[in-house]
Amino acid sequence: MMSGAVRRFLPQLDEVAQDFCRLLRSRVEARGVALDAEHHRLSLDPSADLFRFALEASCHVLYGERLGLFSSTPSQEAEHFILSVERMLATTTPLLYLPPRLLHHLRAPLWIQHATAWDNIFSHAQSRIKKGYERVLLEQRGMCKRAEVGQGQLGGVLGQLLEKGQLSLELIQANITELMAGGVDTTAVPLQFALFELARNPELQERVRDQVRSSWKHAAGDIHKALQGAPLLKGTMRETLRLYPVGITVQRHPIRDIVLQNFHIPAETLVQVCLYPLGRSSDVFSDPTRFEPERWGNSEAGEGQEKTGFRSLAFGFGARQCVGRRIAENEIQLLLAHILLNFHLSVSSTDDLSTKYTLILLPEKSPSITFSTL
C-alpha cells in the first residue's frame, strides 16, 4: 500500500473513472437540456453514482475484476453485493452504542440485518479468494500458464497477496474485505464535497481543468506522470479533506509518558486530534474558510507561503494511518480529472453546505450538481 506499490493499480482506477464519465456523459446527452447541437447539461444528485463508482473501483483494484455496476443490467450477484454493502453501512451507526451480546441474544432485527449483510460481503470475498488461490496452485504445479488464467483473474491486491504467500487465507480474506467495505462511502462522500466546491468556485475550476488538460497531454498516456503534473488536482483533494474530513477525529494512546506543549500526558491516555476544527482554525490556516488548493503546493513552504507539514491528518498518520490511503488518493484524483476533462460543473446555490456526523461526515442534504458537457 506504499505509494510506489500502488502505482501498478493506476490503470484499473483510470479505467473505472473513464467508464464512469462515459456513462454520465451518455446520460447527460440523453436526458439533459440541449445547449446547442453538441452540448447538453443535466442537474442531478450524484451521490448514488459516486457510491457505485467507489465500489466498482475498489473491487477492480482489490480483486482484479469488475462488478459491472455501470451496466444497465448489472448481474444479480452484483446487485446482491451492493445491496449488502449499503445495508451494512446503513445499520452500522445505530448499532455502535449497543452491546453486541445483548443484540445477539434478543435477535434484534437490526442486528440480524447487519450480520446478514456482513455474511454476504465475506461470502463474496471468500469466493474470489478461493478462485484466485486455486489458480495460483495450478500455476505453481505447471498445470496452466498465466495466459490461460484469464486477464485480471490474478490481478489486484488479492493476486499480489496470494502470489507472495506471506499471509494466511484467513488474514487475506479479513484484510481484503475490510479494505473493500471501508473504502466505499469514505471515498464517495469526499468526491461529492469536492465536486460541490469546484462547482461553486468556477474560476478555480478552470485553473484546475487547464492544468489537468496540459498534464494529460504531456504525459502521453503515463497516468502517474499525468497526476504528478497536476498539483492543483491533489491540492483540491487535500483541501476537500481539510474542510470536510471523513472522520472528525484521530485518536491515539501513547505507549509512554509524553509532553505536548508543556502538558504532561501519561502513557495509555486517550489523546484526540479534532480534525474538523483544526482544518477550519485561523491559528492553523490563513483564511481557513476559503477553498484554496494552492495552499498545499509546498509542505516545506518558504517565506510568504503557508506551511502545511503535518496539518493534513485526514488519513491519520504513522503506522496506524488508513491502510487504503494511497488507493483512495489516486481514486479521487483520477475521477476528478476525468470529470473536469468532460464536464463544466455548476450549482444553483453557492451557500455553504450543512453537514452531519454519523459514522462519517456527510452533507445534511446532498447537493445537486449541474454537469454541462464540454
Side-chain angles (χ1 to χ4, degrees), residues 46-356:
S47 56
D49 296 309
L50 293 173
F51 181 93
R52 289 195 168 222
F53 161 77
L55 185 56
E56 183 82 3
S58 294
C59 286
H60 197 22
V61 167
L62 295 174
Y63 300 133
E65 61 183 70
R66 298 286 296 269
L67 281 178
L69 297 179
F70 298 161
S71 169
S72 57
T73 55
S75 68
Q76 186 175 357
E77 180 193 23
E79 288 287 3
H80 185 59
F81 179 63
I82 194 172
L83 179 63
S84 296
V85 174
E86 289 173 342
R87 185 166 294 166
M88 179 274 292
L89 294 171
T91 56
T92 293
T93 302
L95 292 174
L96 282 176
Y97 307 104
L98 298 172
R101 290 184 179 179
L102 175 63
L103 291 166
H104 185 266
H105 177 72
L106 295 176
R107 301 286 294 171
L110 194 66
W111 171 260
I112 293 173
Q113 290 180 30
H114 184 76
T116 302
W118 270 116
D119 285 344
N120 293 334
I121 291 168
F122 270 101
S123 177
H124 184 269
Q126 190 173 27
S127 66
R128 275 148 184 77
I129 291 170
K130 182 180 179 181
K131 291 177 184 177
Y133 183 64
E134 289 172 349
R135 286 176 172 82
V136 169
L137 289 178
L138 289 174
E139 274 197 359
Q140 290 175 346
R141 295 169 182 169
M143 297 175 66
C144 73
K145 299 178 181 178
R146 180 173 293 275
E148 296 172 348
V149 172
Q151 186 177 2
Q153 291 299 315
L154 282 177
V157 176
L158 172 60
Q160 295 293 317
L161 293 177
L162 289 172
E163 289 178 347
K164 288 182 180 296
Q166 295 174 339
L167 294 178
S168 67
L169 288 179
E170 184 180 14
L171 281 176
I172 289 175
Q173 181 182 2
N175 280 279
I176 287 289
T177 308
E178 285 290 339
L179 279 168
M180 184 281 304
V184 181
D185 54 340
T186 55
T187 301
V189 174
L191 277 166
Q192 193 175 351
F193 283 125
L195 292 177
F196 169 77
E197 287 292 348
L198 288 169
R200 74 166 177 169
N201 291 282
E203 293 183 1
L204 167 65
Q205 182 186 153
E206 289 304 318
R207 293 202 306 274
V208 182
R209 179 182 290 109
D210 288 345
Q211 192 176 85
V212 168
R213 278 176 175 163
S214 175
S215 180
W216 247 249
K217 180 179 178 181
H218 289 94
D222 185 329
I223 303 171
H224 176 68
K225 185 178 179 181
L227 291 177
Q228 291 293 102
L232 281 178
L233 192 62
K234 186 171 185 178
T236 297
M237 175 193 67
R238 298 183 75 177
E239 192 73 340
T240 299
L241 293 172
R242 174 181 74 86
L243 290 170
Y244 310 100
V246 174
I248 60 175
T249 66
V250 173
Q251 303 87 25
R252 291 290 185 272
H253 287 91
I255 60 175
R256 62 180 67 88
D257 286 15
I258 58 174
V259 176
L260 294 176
Q261 296 185 345
N262 294 325
F263 286 93
H264 173 247
I265 312 293
E268 299 304 321
T269 301
L270 175 64
V271 179
Q272 294 197 81
V273 179
C274 298
L275 300 183
Y276 189 90
L278 172 71
R280 295 169 180 261
S281 171
S282 57
D283 294 332
V284 182
F285 294 99
S286 61
D287 198 2
T289 59
R290 179 179 175 83
F291 192 82
E292 188 178 347
E294 289 92 345
R295 76 171 79 237
W296 301 99
N298 188 356
S299 60
E300 300 297 331
E303 187 175 352
Q305 289 181 294
E306 189 160 5
K307 295 183 179 180
T308 55
F310 220 73
R311 299 182 188 191
S312 176
L313 299 175
F315 293 96
F317 59 93
R320 300 289 297 176
Q321 70 178 307
C322 171
V323 69
R325 172 180 180 173
R326 303 302 180 191
I327 291 176
E329 287 178 333
N330 287 297
E331 189 176 329
I332 291 171
Q333 290 179 78
L334 282 169
L335 185 63
L336 290 179
H338 286 295
I339 286 178
L340 289 172
L341 291 172
N342 282 274
F343 304 98
H344 178 271
L345 310 172
S346 58
V347 285
S348 58
S349 173
T350 59
D351 292 344
D352 290 344
L353 287 178
S354 297
T355 56
K356 62 182 179 180

